[in-house]
């Protein structure tokens, strides 16, 4: 097995020993059995146990807490939900505003828990900058996106346009056309969050059994290699690993995202670049890039990875030279001074993508199953909302958490949309991604004729339409 410290820069930075907690060796009778010790499972355990200390809860983890995406992500803790515009579309303006407030409050909610539990994960709420910084078309799409956000009920204090000079006060990129700034995002050190949460949950009296995969499950019962667990409620919180618990894999596809981190950069370089408040940033192309300045002054930068035929998980995240060089190329376009910088860490992870890119928080009361997922690469904050919501659903509360359009209460798992079978998924995914790559190459080339640029973007728009 891959040494745990090499899973990500974040795991490597931990100053705790990375040894597994004991595995489960005896049968259990539980109120709630949580499968997976990533953010979703741990937030659910946390909110449940705080509100209902009498509940008998345990967490089963196939590897160690934070082995999945929660210990490997880009550290953007966002106050939103993937595709929230579509999810909120049917609500009245007042309801929509209340939902937006709930989402935008996520970073502060997390911050409150960090303070209460003494978890230090380098939390900095510096907001996020979505930059038009590589080609002029990015400004057009970003401005259209901003108009859309205002139509949905966002206010200027939520999202605002920064011209090149205003952007330069926060971030200096070589070719700035402007940016959208939103204050509702924080950056964190992901592994410190997930490991700290695991300790907080244990301190509340929830045992975490590591090296304990769930190998079979049915309503009321989970089997691991050495034990059988009977439970009233089951919370499969395995996100990108959904295929390990059939039939979840039908509803949630594993896709990969890949990151690199530079060596710590000198203060003089950061004087040139900025990001002094720990802002998250991306350049607005369909390469899905995301970056942050880590607390120890590295540039951490990621971009979309891939999808494997049949939804096979990627286990080996030794990035190929081409994968590293694509990320170096993308960040060097923004920061040419970093073109030859030393990259010390490269890694990646599997994340879960729900059909139509709709995150969901589902409660099947008949079968005693509650699950939250399909965050699609925007799960660091969403998992906190998911944990709070699943706790409310299991405790049979009716409140603003359970009244949201992404909550499917009293619904069977089969009510989630399923992905089409192979080879359709693989062909579809690759056709879409190829159109994105083609668009990016065309637009990044200043010599591309205007008609070529328009054609490439129209094709990518058309292909993106299939994703929804
Ligand atoms: C490379 C990368 C970058 C990302 N960057 C960001 C970002 O910057 N911002 C953002 O908002 N989101 C980001 N995401 C997404 C975000 O990290 C995830 O949505 C979130 O961490 C999901 O948490 P989770 O607990 O649901 O799943 P995970 O963290 O994946 O946890 C699932 C756990 O279940 C365990 N498990 C799997 N199968 C079994 C089984 N059968 N039995 C027991 N245990 C099992 C796994 O070992 C794992 O520990 C990123 C994801 C990746 C991969």
């Amino acid at each position: 097995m891959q040494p745990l410290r090499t899973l990500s820069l974040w795991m490597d930075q931990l100053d705790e020993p990375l040894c597994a907690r004991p595995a489960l060796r005896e049968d259990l009778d539980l109120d709630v059995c949580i499968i997976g010790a990533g953010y979703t499972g741990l937030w659910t355990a946390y909110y449940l146990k705080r509100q209902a200390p009498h509940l008998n809860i345990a967490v089963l983890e196939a590897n160690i807490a934070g082995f999945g995406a929660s210990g490997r992500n880009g550290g953007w803790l966002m106050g939103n939900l993937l595709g929230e515009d579509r999810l909120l579309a049917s609500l009245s303006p007042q309801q929509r505003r209340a939902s937006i407030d709930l989402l935008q409050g996520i970073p502060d909610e997390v911050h409150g828990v960090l303070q209460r539990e003494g978890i230090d994960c380098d939390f900095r709420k510096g907001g996020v900058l979505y930059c038009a910084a590589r080609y002029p078309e990015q400004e057009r799409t970003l401005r259209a996106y901003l108009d859309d956000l205002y139509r949905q009920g966002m206010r200027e204090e939520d999202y605002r346009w920064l011209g090149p000079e205003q952007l330069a006060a926060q971030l200096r990129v070589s070719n700035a056309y402007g940016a959208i700034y939103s204050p509702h995002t924080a950056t964190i050190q992901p592994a410190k969050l997930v490991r700290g949460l695991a300790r907080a949950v244990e301190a509340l009296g929830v045992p975490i059994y590591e090296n304990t995969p769930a190998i079979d499950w049915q309503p009321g019962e989970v089997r691991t290699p050495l034990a059988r667990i009977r439970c009233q409620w089951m919370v499969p919180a395995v996100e990108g690993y959904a295929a390990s618990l059939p039939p979840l894999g039908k509803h949630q596809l594993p896709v990969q995202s890949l990151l690199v981190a530079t060596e710590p950069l000198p203060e003089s370089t950061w004087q040139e670049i900025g990001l002094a408040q720990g802002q998250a940033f991306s350049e607005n192309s369909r390469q899905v890039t995301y970056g942050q300045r880590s607390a120890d002054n590295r540039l951490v930068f990621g971009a979309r990875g891939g999808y494997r035929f049949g939804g096979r998980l990627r286990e080996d995240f030794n990035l190929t030279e081409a994968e590293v060089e694509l990320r170096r190329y993308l960040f060097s376009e923004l920061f040419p001074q970093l073109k030859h910088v030393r990259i010390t860490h490269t890694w990646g992870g599997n994340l879960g993508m729900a059909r139509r890119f709709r995150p969901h928080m589902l409660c099947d009361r008949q079968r005693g199953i509650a699950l939250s997922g399909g965050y699609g690469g925007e799960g660091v904050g969403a998992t906190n909302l998911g944990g709070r919501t699943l706790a409310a659903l299991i405790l049979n509360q009716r409140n603003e958490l359970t009244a949201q359009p992404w909550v499917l209460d009293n619904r069977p798992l089969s009510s989630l949309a399923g992905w089409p079978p192979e080879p359709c998924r693989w062909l579809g995914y690759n056709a879409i991604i190829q159109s994105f790559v083609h668009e990016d190459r065309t637009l990044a080339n200043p010599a591309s004729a205007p008609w070529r640029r328009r054609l490439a973007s129209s094709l990518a728009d058309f292909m993106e339409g299939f994703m929804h």
Side-chain angles (χ1 to χ4, degrees):
M1 195 177 119
Q2 188 180 356
L4 296 169
R5 283 200 185 278
T6 66
L7 291 179
S8 65
L9 163 74
W10 315 119
M11 285 296 210
D12 194 25
Q13 284 181 333
L14 296 176
D15 53 16
E16 63 184 75
L18 277 185
C19 31
R21 294 168 171 88
L24 179 64
R25 294 178 182 282
E26 59 194 28
D27 295 353
L28 295 176
D29 265 309
L30 296 174
D31 295 310
V32 185
C33 177
I34 295 173
I35 306 173
Y39 301 141
T40 300
L42 295 170
W43 281 123
T44 306
Y46 180 80
Y47 286 106
L48 262 178
K49 192 70 178 175
R50 269 182 64 88
Q51 292 179 74
H54 62 279
L55 286 183
N56 195 4
I57 306 171
V59 180
L60 314 179
E61 164 56 50
N63 293 279
I64 63 161
F67 177 85
S70 300
R72 308 169 186 234
N73 59 73
W76 283 34
L77 166 49
M78 304 158 80
N80 65 3
L81 205 57
L82 180 78
E84 73 188 50
D85 49 342
R86 284 173 291 126
L87 287 162
L88 300 180
S90 62
L91 303 187
S92 71
Q94 290 82 350
Q95 289 170 323
R96 207 178 310 150
R97 188 63 234 179
S99 298
I100 291 168
D101 288 342
L102 177 70
L103 294 173
Q104 291 182 342
I106 293 172
D108 291 342
E109 166 66 25
V110 172
H111 191 228
V113 178
L114 300 179
Q115 288 186 312
R116 191 186 308 132
E117 303 300 338
I119 300 171
D120 176 5
C121 64
D122 305 336
F123 178 98
R124 290 164 298 167
K125 195 171 171 203
V128 57
L129 295 156
Y130 299 101
C131 304
R134 291 181 51 227
Y135 31 82
E137 284 82 355
Q138 289 178 315
E139 177 176 354
R140 185 174 42 80
T141 44
L142 268 183
R143 282 187 183 275
Y145 175 58
L146 187 60
D147 289 344
D148 239 28
L149 289 171
Y150 290 151
R151 270 195 292 275
Q152 289 159 32
M154 302 291 177
R155 298 186 285 235
E156 216 182 326
E157 61 259 37
D158 300 324
Y159 290 90
R160 69 171 186 273
W161 183 256
L162 304 181
E165 274 172 29
Q166 292 162 305
L167 172 61
Q170 299 198 55
L171 170 65
R172 290 166 287 283
V173 290
S174 70
N175 204 7
Y177 299 95
I180 294 177
Y181 172 75
S182 167
H184 305 295
T185 290
T187 51
I188 54 151
Q189 205 281 25
K192 286 188 185 174
L193 173 59
V194 69
R195 305 288 297 173
L197 258 184
R199 282 191 294 274
V201 160
E202 274 181 322
L204 287 173
V206 176
I208 300 172
Y209 299 101
E210 296 186 327
N211 285 329
T212 302
I215 51 174
D216 194 17
W217 71 310
Q218 49 180 296
E221 191 173 307
V222 182
R223 277 201 311 112
T224 70
L226 302 177
R228 205 164 66 143
I229 299 106
R230 267 184 293 268
C231 53
Q232 214 184 329
W233 283 96
M234 188 172 321
V235 179
V238 295
E239 182 69 350
Y241 303 83
S244 76
L245 295 178
L248 289 183
K250 264 204 307 208
H251 307 287
Q252 207 140 280
L253 285 193
V255 298
Q256 290 85 44
S257 191
L258 308 176
L259 290 103
V260 299
T262 69
E263 61 188 330
L265 303 173
E267 189 48 38
S268 54
T269 303
W270 287 113
Q271 292 285 340
E272 289 169 26
I273 292 175
L275 297 178
Q277 314 302 322
Q279 297 94 325
F281 73 94
S282 76
E283 56 79 30
N284 189 51
S285 70
R286 280 184 255 233
Q287 300 274 22
V288 193
T289 62
Y290 49 98
Q292 68 150 300
R293 170 183 177 176
S294 68
D296 66 344
N297 284 321
R298 299 164 189 269
L299 179 77
V300 177
F301 189 86
R304 174 205 305 286
Y307 168 73
R308 308 192 132 197
F309 189 85
R312 262 186 314 121
L313 287 183
R314 180 164 172 176
E315 315 266 2
D316 171 9
F317 282 104
N318 287 316
L319 270 54
T320 64
E321 206 178 313
E323 287 170 335
V324 175
E325 287 314 311
L326 172 63
R327 280 139 196 94
R328 184 191 288 279
Y329 158 74
L330 288 167
F331 74 63
S332 306
E333 289 254 288
L334 309 179
F335 315 116
Q337 66 271 50
L338 301 188
K339 196 165 181 185
H340 302 293
V341 75
R342 197 161 75 89
I343 288 174
T344 56
H345 294 74
T346 66
W347 73 98
N350 298 295
L351 56 94
M353 205 56 98
R355 182 90 168 97
R356 301 201 183 92
F357 300 83
R358 273 175 191 250
H360 45 259
M361 295 163 198
L362 176 140
C363 181
D364 179 343
R365 295 191 178 276
Q366 234 178 0
R367 294 176 187 77
I369 297 168
L371 63 85
S372 170
Y375 315 114
E378 298 189 4
V380 176
T383 49
N384 170 272
L385 183 73
R388 276 187 276 158
T389 306
L390 295 191
L393 289 165
I394 290 172
L395 297 175
N396 215 0
Q397 298 165 348
R398 296 282 178 273
N399 56 27
E400 65 160 351
L401 290 165
T402 60
Q404 299 300 329
W406 45 84
V407 174
L408 307 170
D409 192 5
N410 219 354
R411 300 269 287 276
L413 201 57
S414 57
S415 62
L416 293 177
W419 286 94
E422 295 290 18
C424 303
R425 297 173 186 175
W426 187 84
L427 289 171
Y429 177 89
N430 282 299
I432 292 169
I433 296 303
Q434 280 316 311
S435 76
F436 292 176
V437 170
H438 173 254
E439 178 199 35
D440 198 64
R441 283 207 189 117
T442 308
L443 299 184
N445 178 1
S448 301
W451 70 267
R452 267 189 202 283
R453 304 174 80 87
R454 280 196 300 276
L455 188 65
S457 288
S458 303
L459 179 65
D461 281 343
F462 176 74
M463 296 303 277
E464 194 173 61
F466 283 111
M467 292 171 32
H468 306 303

